[in-house]
Amino acid sequence: MRTIRHRAAAAAVTALVASLALTACGSGESSAAKDSGGAAPSLSTASPAEQQSTGDDKQQAPTDQISSTVSSKSKTGTGTGNTAGNKSSNGATTKYTACTGDNTKVKISRVSRPINHLLLTVTNTGNKNCDAYYAPALRFDDAQAVTQIIEDSRPQAVVTLAPGESAYASIALGGPEAPDIPVKQLTVHFMGRDNQGAEGSHSAPLTLPAGTLISDSTSVTYWQADMADALTW
C-alpha cells in the first residue's frame, strides 16, 4: 500500500513539474514576441525606406506651397514685375485734348473748285496732340442760327493733329439756294469730345473774303485730315 501511495505522489509531483515547465515555456514565447516587435505590424506596415520617403515629402511641403504662391502671383499679375504693366494697360486713364482756339490757329480762304465754297484750315500750334472733334460750329457776323452740317462727310475716325499738323473743313455757301446774305466775319467754335457743345475758347473773328455771300442753306463738313476730302462736298 505504501509503495502504491509513493508512486501516486511521485506521479503527481511529476505532473506538477511538467505543468510548471509548460507554463514557463508559454510565458517565454509571449515575451519574446513582444521583444522582437511582434506587435509592430499593428502600428505600421511601411518599410523603413517608405517611412523615410514619407518624412521627406512632409519636409518639402512648405517649399511646394511657397513655389505655388509665387506661380499664382505671376499668373494673376499681382507680383511686383507685372504690376506696372497691368496699371499701364488697364488702370491708366487716357487723356484727350480737344483742338480749341487756345491751341490752334484758323484761317479761311476762297477756293475756285467747287464753286461757292470756302475752305477752313485749323493748325495745331500747341506742343502736344489735339483732336478735332465733329464739325466746326460757325457763326457768321451776329447770326444766331447754327450752320448746318453735312452729315455724309463724317470721317471714319476723329482727326488727331500732332503739333504743326492741320485739318480741313469746307463751307458750301449756297447749297440748293443762291447765296444772297452778305457777311464780313466768321467765328469758329470747337466741339468737345461728347458733342454736347463748344469746348474751350473759339477762334478770333476771321475776316471773310470780300463779297462773301451766304444763304439759309449754307453748310459745313466735318473736320477732315485731307484737304481734298474736305473739298469733295
Side-chain angles (χ1 to χ4, degrees), residues 153-171:
S153 68
R154 182 191 294 266
Q156 294 183 351
V158 174
V159 179
T160 299
L161 302 180
E165 290 185 339
S166 299
Y168 309 90
S170 67
I171 303 171

Side-chain angles (χ1 to χ4, degrees), residues 85-101:
N86 288 340
K87 286 185 177 180
S88 64
S89 63
N90 300 327
T93 301
T94 303
K95 294 183 179 180
Y96 299 91
T97 301
C99 297
T100 69

Side-chain angles (χ1 to χ4, degrees), residues 55-193:
D56 291 345
D57 291 343
K58 289 182 179 179
Q59 292 176 0
Q60 292 174 0
T63 304
D64 293 341
Q65 291 176 0
I66 293 173
S67 177
S68 177
T69 301
V70 172
S71 177
S72 176
K73 286 184 178 182
S74 297
K75 290 179 180 180
T76 58
T78 57
T80 304
N82 292 334
T83 301
N86 288 340
K87 286 185 177 180
S88 64
S89 63
N90 300 327
T93 301
T94 303
K95 294 183 179 180
Y96 299 91
T97 301
C99 297
T100 69
D102 296 321
N103 55 16
T104 64
K105 180 179 180 180
V106 183
K107 71 175 184 178
I108 191 165
S109 55
R110 190 189 299 275
V111 293
S112 58
R113 297 286 180 183
I115 61 173
N116 291 331
H117 276 65
L118 299 176
L119 178 68
L120 276 176
T121 302
V122 57
T123 303
N124 182 355
T125 58
N127 56 12
K128 59 182 178 180
N129 293 359
C130 71
D131 295 319
Y133 293 112
Y134 303 98
L138 307 182
R139 181 179 182 182
F140 290 96
D141 289 344
D142 295 327
Q144 299 300 315
V146 177
T147 303
Q148 300 176 47
I149 297 173
I150 303 173
E151 290 295 336
D152 289 343
S153 68
R154 182 191 294 266
Q156 294 183 351
V158 174
V159 179
T160 299
L161 302 180
E165 290 185 339
S166 299
Y168 309 90
S170 67
I171 303 171
L173 297 174
E177 302 176 11
D180 56 2
I181 305 172
V183 287
K184 295 182 178 181
Q185 288 188 328
L186 172 66
T187 303
V188 178
H189 297 262
F190 298 86
M191 302 302 293
R193 185 169 180 264

